[in-house]
């Protein structure tokens, strides 16, 4: 009995298959170690999932290349998926082309970023001479860049002139 199915990221939410939906639910438990509020689904990292007789293949597009989190994400993903009933083996593949952009973050992901206190990335297509960000606490645009190189390669440090709070912003790529 051979069971094969391949789903595209777009079809994931409506997939009728039980194993598939269990796998997807598990994927939403796998967080970005640097932003624990966001799952790899929120970040738009998932390209494709296929389940063939208990072997789950997951294709991901890595976020910021500067982030050292990939091996951690891979291990967390494997650990989590192996807990799913029916999953025997997990293969994770990272696809670098086309590259991930901050445009891939879902609207839910952007909302979670804001709640986490990180300003979602501004539109990457707009080439701005100075990076800008909207304050995640009060929504003010009256903010200034404190330090382009924040705590991680992916984030910058901003200061809100309105509510006087420092906050981080995800750099658009
Ligand atoms: Zn503010």
């Amino acid at each position: 009995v051979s069971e094969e199915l391949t789903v595209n990221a777009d079809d994931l939410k409506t997939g009728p298959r039980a194993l598939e939906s269990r796998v997807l639910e598990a994927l939403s438990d796998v967080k970005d170690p640097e932003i624990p509020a966001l799952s790899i689904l929120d970040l738009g990292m998932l390209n494709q999932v296929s389940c063939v007789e208990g072997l789950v293949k997951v294709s991901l597009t890595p976020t910021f290349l500067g982030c050292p989190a990939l091996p951690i994400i891979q291990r967390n993903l494997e650990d989590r998926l192996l807990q799913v009933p029916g999953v025997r083996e997990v293969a994770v593949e990272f696809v670098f082309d086309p590259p991930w952009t901050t445009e891939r973050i879902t609207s839910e992901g952007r909302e979670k970023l804001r709640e986490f206190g990180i300003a979602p990335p501004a539109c990457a297509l707009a080439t701005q001479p100075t990076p800008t960000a909207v304050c995640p606490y009060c929504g003010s645009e009256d903010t200034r860049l404190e330090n382009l190189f924040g705590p991680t390669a992916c984030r910058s440090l901003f200061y809100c002139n309105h509510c006087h709070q420092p906050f981080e912003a995800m750099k658009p790529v």
Side-chain angles (χ1 to χ4, degrees):
V1 183
S2 169
E3 186 190 42
E4 177 164 355
L5 81 119
T6 302
V7 260
N8 291 313
D10 292 340
D11 309 322
L12 290 178
K13 292 233 161 80
T14 51
R17 307 292 286 266
L19 179 59
E20 173 195 333
S21 54
R22 284 201 299 269
V23 163
L24 286 176
E25 213 178 289
L27 286 174
S28 68
D29 283 344
V30 180
K31 309 297 183 190
D32 182 327
E34 300 198 345
I35 312 168
L38 265 72
S39 74
I40 58 177
L41 294 183
D42 296 325
L43 284 165
M45 289 174 70
L46 184 68
N47 294 319
Q48 211 174 57
V49 184
S50 70
C51 312
V52 183
E53 293 178 345
L55 168 64
V56 178
K57 288 186 189 165
V58 183
S59 156
L60 298 177
T61 299
T63 56
F64 310 91
L65 289 176
C67 283
L70 285 188
I72 302 173
I73 291 178
Q74 177 167 0
R75 205 180 53 229
N76 289 348
L77 178 65
E78 289 167 350
D79 288 351
R80 182 63 189 85
L81 285 184
L82 285 173
Q83 293 169 17
V84 175
V87 173
R88 232 174 2 92
E89 206 181 328
V90 180
V92 180
E93 173 193 36
F94 288 108
V95 178
F96 293 86
D97 189 28
W100 182 86
T101 75
T102 42
E103 305 282 300
R104 292 178 62 140
I105 301 176
T106 64
S107 49
E108 201 183 337
R110 286 170 177 267
E111 199 48 50
K112 287 181 187 171
L113 268 182
R114 234 189 311 272
E115 283 167 17
F116 193 62
I118 297 178
C123 180
L125 301 177
T127 42
Q128 298 154 322
T130 318
T132 57
V134 175
C135 174
Y137 301 110
C138 72
S140 171
E141 291 179 25
D142 184 13
T143 60
R144 64 170 192 266
L145 181 66
E146 286 280 279
N147 183 356
L148 190 56
F149 301 98
T152 76
C154 333
R155 278 127 78 181
S156 312
L157 222 50
F158 277 79
Y159 183 81
C160 178
N161 293 325
H162 185 252
C163 70
H164 304 291
Q165 289 207 69
F167 66 92
E168 291 175 21
M170 192 181 268
K171 292 176 193 167
V173 294

mmCIF file of all heavy atoms in Angstrom, residues 12-13 24-25 27-29 31 35-44 102-121 170:
data_model
loop_
_atom_site.group_PDB
_atom_site.id
_atom_site.type_symbol
_atom_site.label_atom_id
_atom_site.label_comp_id
_atom_site.label_asym_id
_atom_site.label_seq_id
_atom_site.Cartn_x
_atom_site.Cartn_y
_atom_site.Cartn_z
ATOM 1 N N LEU A 12 -2.044 24.181 2.155
ATOM 2 C CA LEU A 12 -1.834 23.495 3.423
ATOM 3 C C LEU A 12 -3.018 23.574 4.365
ATOM 4 O O LEU A 12 -3.351 22.621 5.029
ATOM 5 C CB LEU A 12 -0.595 24.076 4.112
ATOM 6 C CG LEU A 12 0.694 23.708 3.384
ATOM 7 C CD1 LEU A 12 1.881 24.325 4.056
ATOM 8 C CD2 LEU A 12 0.843 22.207 3.348
ATOM 9 N N LYS A 13 -3.643 24.737 4.420
ATOM 10 C CA LYS A 13 -4.678 24.941 5.422
ATOM 11 C C LYS A 13 -5.910 24.096 5.148
ATOM 12 O O LYS A 13 -6.653 23.763 6.046
ATOM 13 C CB LYS A 13 -5.054 26.430 5.475
ATOM 14 C CG LYS A 13 -3.914 27.275 6.032
ATOM 15 C CD LYS A 13 -4.377 28.143 7.195
ATOM 16 C CE LYS A 13 -3.219 28.624 8.036
ATOM 17 N NZ LYS A 13 -2.542 29.756 7.444
ATOM 18 N N LEU A 24 1.184 19.423 9.832
ATOM 19 C CA LEU A 24 1.126 20.883 9.764
ATOM 20 C C LEU A 24 0.950 21.501 11.137
ATOM 21 O O LEU A 24 1.549 22.527 11.450
ATOM 22 C CB LEU A 24 -0.034 21.314 8.875
ATOM 23 C CG LEU A 24 0.249 21.102 7.404
ATOM 24 C CD1 LEU A 24 -0.964 21.441 6.577
ATOM 25 C CD2 LEU A 24 1.431 21.946 6.988
ATOM 26 N N GLU A 25 0.124 20.849 11.942
ATOM 27 C CA GLU A 25 -0.069 21.347 13.287
ATOM 28 C C GLU A 25 1.265 21.326 14.030
ATOM 29 O O GLU A 25 1.606 22.258 14.756
ATOM 30 C CB GLU A 25 -1.078 20.442 13.989
ATOM 31 C CG GLU A 25 -1.965 21.155 14.976
ATOM 32 C CD GLU A 25 -2.955 20.171 15.561
ATOM 33 O OE1 GLU A 25 -3.861 19.758 14.808
ATOM 34 O OE2 GLU A 25 -2.784 19.785 16.727
ATOM 35 N N LEU A 27 4.181 21.501 12.665
ATOM 36 C CA LEU A 27 5.071 22.527 12.100
ATOM 37 C C LEU A 27 4.820 23.885 12.743
ATOM 38 O O LEU A 27 5.744 24.667 12.931
ATOM 39 C CB LEU A 27 4.868 22.639 10.584
ATOM 40 C CG LEU A 27 5.431 21.506 9.736
ATOM 41 C CD1 LEU A 27 5.039 21.682 8.279
ATOM 42 C CD2 LEU A 27 6.944 21.433 9.867
ATOM 43 N N SER A 28 3.558 24.145 13.075
ATOM 44 C CA SER A 28 3.260 25.446 13.676
ATOM 45 C C SER A 28 3.782 25.520 15.111
ATOM 46 O O SER A 28 3.776 26.579 15.728
ATOM 47 C CB SER A 28 1.754 25.737 13.623
ATOM 48 O OG SER A 28 1.080 24.858 14.481
ATOM 49 N N ASP A 29 4.247 24.372 15.652
ATOM 50 C CA ASP A 29 4.865 24.363 16.989
ATOM 51 C C ASP A 29 6.359 24.657 16.919
ATOM 52 O O ASP A 29 6.997 24.834 17.949
ATOM 53 C CB ASP A 29 4.704 22.983 17.646
ATOM 54 C CG ASP A 29 3.302 22.779 18.170
ATOM 55 O OD1 ASP A 29 2.573 23.769 18.304
ATOM 56 O OD2 ASP A 29 2.956 21.618 18.427
ATOM 57 N N LYS A 31 9.284 26.862 16.459
ATOM 58 C CA LYS A 31 9.461 28.310 16.515
ATOM 59 C C LYS A 31 10.849 28.705 16.031
ATOM 60 O O LYS A 31 11.772 27.904 16.019
ATOM 61 C CB LYS A 31 9.285 28.812 17.959
ATOM 62 C CG LYS A 31 8.024 28.333 18.638
ATOM 63 C CD LYS A 31 6.779 28.842 17.941
ATOM 64 C CE LYS A 31 5.531 28.393 18.722
ATOM 65 N NZ LYS A 31 4.304 28.649 17.969
ATOM 66 N N ILE A 35 13.126 34.365 17.734
ATOM 67 C CA ILE A 35 11.841 35.046 17.947
ATOM 68 C C ILE A 35 10.835 33.962 18.284
ATOM 69 O O ILE A 35 10.085 33.504 17.441
ATOM 70 C CB ILE A 35 11.382 35.802 16.677
ATOM 71 C CG1 ILE A 35 12.529 36.626 16.111
ATOM 72 C CG2 ILE A 35 10.191 36.693 16.987
ATOM 73 C CD1 ILE A 35 12.263 37.161 14.720
ATOM 74 N N PRO A 36 10.823 33.509 19.544
ATOM 75 C CA PRO A 36 10.012 32.339 19.918
ATOM 76 C C PRO A 36 8.524 32.531 19.695
ATOM 77 O O PRO A 36 7.764 31.580 19.762
ATOM 78 C CB PRO A 36 10.318 32.147 21.409
ATOM 79 C CG PRO A 36 11.420 33.090 21.736
ATOM 80 C CD PRO A 36 11.573 34.091 20.646
ATOM 81 N N ALA A 37 8.104 33.755 19.426
ATOM 82 C CA ALA A 37 6.685 33.982 19.186
ATOM 83 C C ALA A 37 6.280 33.513 17.792
ATOM 84 O O ALA A 37 5.099 33.310 17.524
ATOM 85 C CB ALA A 37 6.353 35.467 19.342
ATOM 86 N N LEU A 38 7.247 33.352 16.915
ATOM 87 C CA LEU A 38 6.916 33.030 15.530
ATOM 88 C C LEU A 38 7.301 31.611 15.144
ATOM 89 O O LEU A 38 8.412 31.162 15.425
ATOM 90 C CB LEU A 38 7.620 33.999 14.573
ATOM 91 C CG LEU A 38 6.765 35.190 14.148
ATOM 92 C CD1 LEU A 38 6.603 36.160 15.289
ATOM 93 C CD2 LEU A 38 7.343 35.860 12.933
ATOM 94 N N SER A 39 6.374 30.923 14.491
ATOM 95 C CA SER A 39 6.681 29.597 13.994
ATOM 96 C C SER A 39 7.283 29.724 12.600
ATOM 97 O O SER A 39 7.238 30.786 11.970
ATOM 98 C CB SER A 39 5.416 28.747 13.924
ATOM 99 O OG SER A 39 4.626 29.160 12.835
ATOM 100 N N ILE A 40 7.828 28.606 12.126
ATOM 101 C CA ILE A 40 8.396 28.624 10.782
ATOM 102 C C ILE A 40 7.304 28.849 9.734
ATOM 103 O O ILE A 40 7.598 29.327 8.648
ATOM 104 C CB ILE A 40 9.192 27.329 10.486
ATOM 105 C CG1 ILE A 40 8.318 26.095 10.648
ATOM 106 C CG2 ILE A 40 10.409 27.234 11.402
ATOM 107 C CD1 ILE A 40 9.057 24.808 10.295
ATOM 108 N N LEU A 41 6.050 28.541 10.090
ATOM 109 C CA LEU A 41 4.946 28.837 9.167
ATOM 110 C C LEU A 41 4.678 30.339 9.125
ATOM 111 O O LEU A 41 4.460 30.919 8.067
ATOM 112 C CB LEU A 41 3.666 28.100 9.586
ATOM 113 C CG LEU A 41 3.689 26.580 9.512
ATOM 114 C CD1 LEU A 41 2.319 26.022 9.897
ATOM 115 C CD2 LEU A 41 4.079 26.086 8.135
ATOM 116 N N ASP A 42 4.684 30.971 10.318
ATOM 117 C CA ASP A 42 4.471 32.420 10.386
ATOM 118 C C ASP A 42 5.528 33.162 9.569
ATOM 119 O O ASP A 42 5.263 34.200 8.973
ATOM 120 C CB ASP A 42 4.552 32.923 11.834
ATOM 121 C CG ASP A 42 3.455 32.355 12.702
ATOM 122 O OD1 ASP A 42 2.340 32.159 12.194
ATOM 123 O OD2 ASP A 42 3.713 32.104 13.886
ATOM 124 N N LEU A 43 6.741 32.619 9.595
ATOM 125 C CA LEU A 43 7.846 33.279 8.893
ATOM 126 C C LEU A 43 7.823 33.026 7.387
ATOM 127 O O LEU A 43 8.603 33.600 6.653
ATOM 128 C CB LEU A 43 9.184 32.796 9.471
ATOM 129 C CG LEU A 43 9.546 33.388 10.833
ATOM 130 C CD1 LEU A 43 10.663 32.593 11.482
ATOM 131 C CD2 LEU A 43 9.976 34.836 10.683
ATOM 132 N N GLY A 44 6.924 32.134 6.958
ATOM 133 C CA GLY A 44 6.868 31.833 5.532
ATOM 134 C C GLY A 44 8.067 31.031 5.055
ATOM 135 O O GLY A 44 8.469 31.122 3.904
ATOM 136 N N THR A 102 11.558 39.156 3.676
ATOM 137 C CA THR A 102 10.638 39.463 4.772
ATOM 138 C C THR A 102 9.200 39.581 4.269
ATOM 139 O O THR A 102 8.259 39.539 5.055
ATOM 140 C CB THR A 102 11.054 40.761 5.491
ATOM 141 O OG1 THR A 102 11.445 41.739 4.520
ATOM 142 C CG2 THR A 102 12.225 40.506 6.418
ATOM 143 N N GLU A 103 9.034 39.702 2.940
ATOM 144 C CA GLU A 103 7.690 39.719 2.360
ATOM 145 C C GLU A 103 6.946 38.406 2.624
ATOM 146 O O GLU A 103 5.724 38.353 2.545
ATOM 147 C CB GLU A 103 7.774 39.912 0.841
ATOM 148 C CG GLU A 103 8.541 41.139 0.413
ATOM 149 C CD GLU A 103 7.718 42.398 0.573
ATOM 150 O OE1 GLU A 103 6.667 42.459 -0.065
ATOM 151 O OE2 GLU A 103 8.110 43.278 1.342
ATOM 152 N N ARG A 104 7.695 37.359 2.897
ATOM 153 C CA ARG A 104 7.065 36.043 3.084
ATOM 154 C C ARG A 104 6.431 35.880 4.460
ATOM 155 O O ARG A 104 5.690 34.919 4.687
ATOM 156 C CB ARG A 104 8.103 34.925 2.859
ATOM 157 C CG ARG A 104 8.551 34.844 1.400
ATOM 158 C CD ARG A 104 9.594 33.773 1.206
ATOM 159 N NE ARG A 104 9.113 32.445 1.532
ATOM 160 C CZ ARG A 104 9.403 31.359 0.835
ATOM 161 N NH1 ARG A 104 10.146 31.441 -0.236
ATOM 162 N NH2 ARG A 104 8.959 30.182 1.209
ATOM 163 N N ILE A 105 6.737 36.757 5.372
ATOM 164 C CA ILE A 105 6.121 36.671 6.701
ATOM 165 C C ILE A 105 4.614 36.875 6.551
ATOM 166 O O ILE A 105 4.173 37.820 5.901
ATOM 167 C CB ILE A 105 6.709 37.739 7.641
ATOM 168 C CG1 ILE A 105 8.226 37.538 7.774
ATOM 169 C CG2 ILE A 105 6.051 37.680 9.017
ATOM 170 C CD1 ILE A 105 8.907 38.597 8.614
ATOM 171 N N THR A 106 3.841 35.974 7.144
ATOM 172 C CA THR A 106 2.391 36.050 7.001
ATOM 173 C C THR A 106 1.841 37.237 7.801
ATOM 174 O O THR A 106 2.520 37.770 8.688
ATOM 175 C CB THR A 106 1.719 34.763 7.528
ATOM 176 O OG1 THR A 106 1.985 34.672 8.929
ATOM 177 C CG2 THR A 106 2.260 33.533 6.816
ATOM 178 N N SER A 107 0.609 37.625 7.497
ATOM 179 C CA SER A 107 0.026 38.744 8.240
ATOM 180 C C SER A 107 -0.132 38.371 9.706
ATOM 181 O O SER A 107 0.032 39.198 10.601
ATOM 182 C CB SER A 107 -1.311 39.173 7.624
ATOM 183 O OG SER A 107 -2.127 38.062 7.427
ATOM 184 N N GLU A 108 -0.422 37.087 9.951
ATOM 185 C CA GLU A 108 -0.483 36.608 11.339
ATOM 186 C C GLU A 108 0.893 36.724 11.990
ATOM 187 O O GLU A 108 1.026 37.120 13.151
ATOM 188 C CB GLU A 108 -0.945 35.157 11.347
ATOM 189 C CG GLU A 108 -1.530 34.699 12.652
ATOM 190 C CD GLU A 108 -1.900 33.215 12.596
ATOM 191 O OE1 GLU A 108 -2.116 32.699 11.473
ATOM 192 O OE2 GLU A 108 -1.947 32.592 13.652
ATOM 193 N N GLY A 109 1.918 36.402 11.226
ATOM 194 C CA GLY A 109 3.285 36.495 11.722
ATOM 195 C C GLY A 109 3.658 37.927 12.062
ATOM 196 O O GLY A 109 4.316 38.190 13.071
ATOM 197 N N ARG A 110 3.227 38.863 11.216
ATOM 198 C CA ARG A 110 3.516 40.275 11.476
ATOM 199 C C ARG A 110 2.826 40.730 12.763
ATOM 200 O O ARG A 110 3.382 41.491 13.546
ATOM 201 C CB ARG A 110 3.027 41.135 10.306
ATOM 202 C CG ARG A 110 3.920 41.002 9.110
ATOM 203 C CD ARG A 110 3.340 41.654 7.870
ATOM 204 N NE ARG A 110 4.317 41.521 6.803
ATOM 205 C CZ ARG A 110 5.230 42.445 6.519
ATOM 206 N NH1 ARG A 110 5.233 43.585 7.165
ATOM 207 N NH2 ARG A 110 6.120 42.238 5.584
ATOM 208 N N GLU A 111 1.606 40.243 12.942
ATOM 209 C CA GLU A 111 0.850 40.583 14.147
ATOM 210 C C GLU A 111 1.575 40.050 15.392
ATOM 211 O O GLU A 111 1.714 40.746 16.386
ATOM 212 C CB GLU A 111 -0.562 39.994 14.031
ATOM 213 C CG GLU A 111 -1.568 40.619 14.936
ATOM 214 C CD GLU A 111 -1.527 42.144 14.881
ATOM 215 O OE1 GLU A 111 -1.548 42.733 13.780
ATOM 216 O OE2 GLU A 111 -1.443 42.738 15.970
ATOM 217 N N LYS A 112 2.056 38.813 15.293
ATOM 218 C CA LYS A 112 2.763 38.209 16.432
ATOM 219 C C LYS A 112 4.065 38.951 16.721
ATOM 220 O O LYS A 112 4.449 39.083 17.879
ATOM 221 C CB LYS A 112 3.058 36.734 16.145
ATOM 222 C CG LYS A 112 1.832 35.846 16.198
ATOM 223 C CD LYS A 112 2.219 34.409 15.941
ATOM 224 C CE LYS A 112 1.008 33.513 15.827
ATOM 225 N NZ LYS A 112 1.369 32.157 15.364
ATOM 226 N N LEU A 113 4.731 39.395 15.667
ATOM 227 C CA LEU A 113 5.957 40.178 15.859
ATOM 228 C C LEU A 113 5.666 41.426 16.676
ATOM 229 O O LEU A 113 6.373 41.754 17.625
ATOM 230 C CB LEU A 113 6.521 40.617 14.510
ATOM 231 C CG LEU A 113 7.544 39.738 13.808
ATOM 232 C CD1 LEU A 113 7.976 40.409 12.510
ATOM 233 C CD2 LEU A 113 8.756 39.493 14.678
ATOM 234 N N ARG A 114 4.603 42.111 16.266
ATOM 235 C CA ARG A 114 4.223 43.345 16.958
ATOM 236 C C ARG A 114 3.931 43.054 18.422
ATOM 237 O O ARG A 114 4.387 43.766 19.311
ATOM 238 C CB ARG A 114 2.992 43.962 16.279
ATOM 239 C CG ARG A 114 3.176 45.415 15.862
ATOM 240 C CD ARG A 114 1.866 46.034 15.402
ATOM 241 N NE ARG A 114 1.167 45.204 14.436
ATOM 242 C CZ ARG A 114 1.380 45.273 13.112
ATOM 243 N NH1 ARG A 114 2.249 46.118 12.626
ATOM 244 N NH2 ARG A 114 0.709 44.509 12.284
ATOM 245 N N GLU A 115 3.164 41.976 18.674
ATOM 246 C CA GLU A 115 2.833 41.618 20.051
ATOM 247 C C GLU A 115 4.078 41.255 20.845
ATOM 248 O O GLU A 115 4.153 41.450 22.050
ATOM 249 C CB GLU A 115 1.863 40.431 20.067
ATOM 250 C CG GLU A 115 0.448 40.833 19.718
ATOM 251 C CD GLU A 115 -0.419 39.603 19.441
ATOM 252 O OE1 GLU A 115 -0.006 38.483 19.824
ATOM 253 O OE2 GLU A 115 -1.486 39.771 18.835
ATOM 254 N N PHE A 116 5.059 40.724 20.144
ATOM 255 C CA PHE A 116 6.307 40.325 20.783
ATOM 256 C C PHE A 116 7.194 41.535 21.041
ATOM 257 O O PHE A 116 8.219 41.444 21.701
ATOM 258 C CB PHE A 116 7.027 39.315 19.881
ATOM 259 C CG PHE A 116 8.170 38.588 20.527
ATOM 260 C CD1 PHE A 116 7.966 37.773 21.636
ATOM 261 C CD2 PHE A 116 9.459 38.697 20.033
ATOM 262 C CE1 PHE A 116 9.020 37.093 22.219
ATOM 263 C CE2 PHE A 116 10.520 38.015 20.614
ATOM 264 C CZ PHE A 116 10.296 37.214 21.712
ATOM 265 N N GLY A 117 6.793 42.700 20.510
ATOM 266 C CA GLY A 117 7.562 43.920 20.724
ATOM 267 C C GLY A 117 8.618 44.175 19.671
ATOM 268 O O GLY A 117 9.567 44.912 19.895
ATOM 269 N N ILE A 118 8.454 43.540 18.515
ATOM 270 C CA ILE A 118 9.384 43.775 17.412
ATOM 271 C C ILE A 118 8.600 44.372 16.252
ATOM 272 O O ILE A 118 7.563 43.830 15.858
ATOM 273 C CB ILE A 118 10.064 42.477 16.946
ATOM 274 C CG1 ILE A 118 10.918 41.894 18.078
ATOM 275 C CG2 ILE A 118 10.911 42.705 15.707
ATOM 276 C CD1 ILE A 118 11.587 40.583 17.729
ATOM 277 N N ALA A 119 9.069 45.495 15.729
ATOM 278 C CA ALA A 119 8.385 46.103 14.604
ATOM 279 C C ALA A 119 8.550 45.218 13.379
ATOM 280 O O ALA A 119 9.662 44.821 13.049
ATOM 281 C CB ALA A 119 8.952 47.493 14.330
ATOM 282 N N PRO A 120 7.436 44.866 12.726
ATOM 283 C CA PRO A 120 7.542 44.057 11.510
ATOM 284 C C PRO A 120 8.336 44.824 10.455
ATOM 285 O O PRO A 120 8.359 46.050 10.474
ATOM 286 C CB PRO A 120 6.089 43.874 11.062
ATOM 287 C CG PRO A 120 5.254 44.272 12.225
ATOM 288 C CD PRO A 120 6.063 45.242 13.027
ATOM 289 N N PRO A 121 8.977 44.096 9.556
ATOM 290 C CA PRO A 121 9.796 44.768 8.553
ATOM 291 C C PRO A 121 8.965 45.655 7.645
ATOM 292 O O PRO A 121 7.855 45.295 7.275
ATOM 293 C CB PRO A 121 10.415 43.611 7.763
ATOM 294 C CG PRO A 121 9.540 42.442 8.040
ATOM 295 C CD PRO A 121 8.984 42.643 9.412
ATOM 296 N N MET A 170 12.629 44.294 12.770
ATOM 297 C CA MET A 170 13.226 43.300 11.893
ATOM 298 C C MET A 170 13.662 43.987 10.605
ATOM 299 O O MET A 170 12.907 44.747 10.025
ATOM 300 C CB MET A 170 12.217 42.194 11.591
ATOM 301 C CG MET A 170 12.856 41.005 10.932
ATOM 302 S SD MET A 170 11.644 39.732 10.574
ATOM 303 C CE MET A 170 11.740 38.746 12.035
#
